[in-house]
Amino acid sequence: MTKIEYRDGLLFTSIEIFFRGKSIQIENIVVDTGAAETIISTDIVEEIGIFAELDDYVHSFYGVGGSLHNFFSKQVEGINLGSVSLNKVKLDFGVIDPQGYINGLLGLDILMKLHAMIDLKKLALTLEK
């Protein structure tokens, strides 16, 4: 079971990402069942060497309100959500919140892989492989 926090009308958790032998624990990840894919802020992962490289394909999407956003995808070695791990995961990276308050969105791609159950009474995510 992974604890989530309810604040400012959103559900927050944290995620650990492993990339090229380095790792980073990222706080302020919004649990977003309305997001098809997980996306992490580029600013927060630069320190472990995640940035757009020449062979990466840059994608675009329209956000809430019609604003255009760009992102790139990379396969990471793995992620940890609480005590549950996934290996070789494709994640998207881009600008999510220019103010830096939200560091990512945990989307349906990962939530469904981990058979997530969101318990709003206990403010917890139950995850299983």
Side-chain angles (χ1 to χ4, degrees), residues 25-68:
Q25 181 75 26
I26 304 170
E27 305 295 326
N28 296 323
I29 302 291
V30 173
V31 178
D32 189 351
T33 60
E37 295 184 357
T38 298
I39 186 167
I40 305 296
S41 172
T42 51
D43 293 339
I44 203 81
V45 293
E46 281 181 353
E47 70 183 70
I48 63 166
I50 296 177
F51 50 85
E53 297 174 284
L54 290 176
D55 58 345
D56 291 332
Y57 184 75
V58 177
H59 312 273
S60 298
F61 71 94
Y62 289 96
V64 176
S67 56
L68 181 65

Side-chain angles (χ1 to χ4, degrees), residues 56-128:
D56 291 332
Y57 184 75
V58 177
H59 312 273
S60 298
F61 71 94
Y62 289 96
V64 176
S67 56
L68 181 65
H69 301 274
N70 296 315
F71 68 94
F72 62 94
S73 301
K74 283 203 181 287
Q75 181 171 298
V76 298
E77 292 165 6
I79 62 169
N80 286 347
L81 279 163
S83 62
V84 179
S85 300
L86 276 179
N87 295 321
K88 296 184 178 171
V89 179
K90 181 193 80 67
L91 294 176
D92 296 333
F93 298 92
V95 176
I96 294 137
D97 177 12
Q99 289 79 31
Y101 183 64
I102 296 171
N103 292 322
L105 304 177
L106 180 61
L108 285 177
D109 57 339
I110 302 297
L111 292 169
M112 292 184 74
K113 277 183 191 170
L114 294 176
H115 305 105
M117 290 183 285
I118 302 170
D119 186 329
L120 297 175
K121 184 175 182 180
K122 295 180 183 175
L123 285 177
L125 273 177
T126 302
L127 308 166
E128 58 185 57

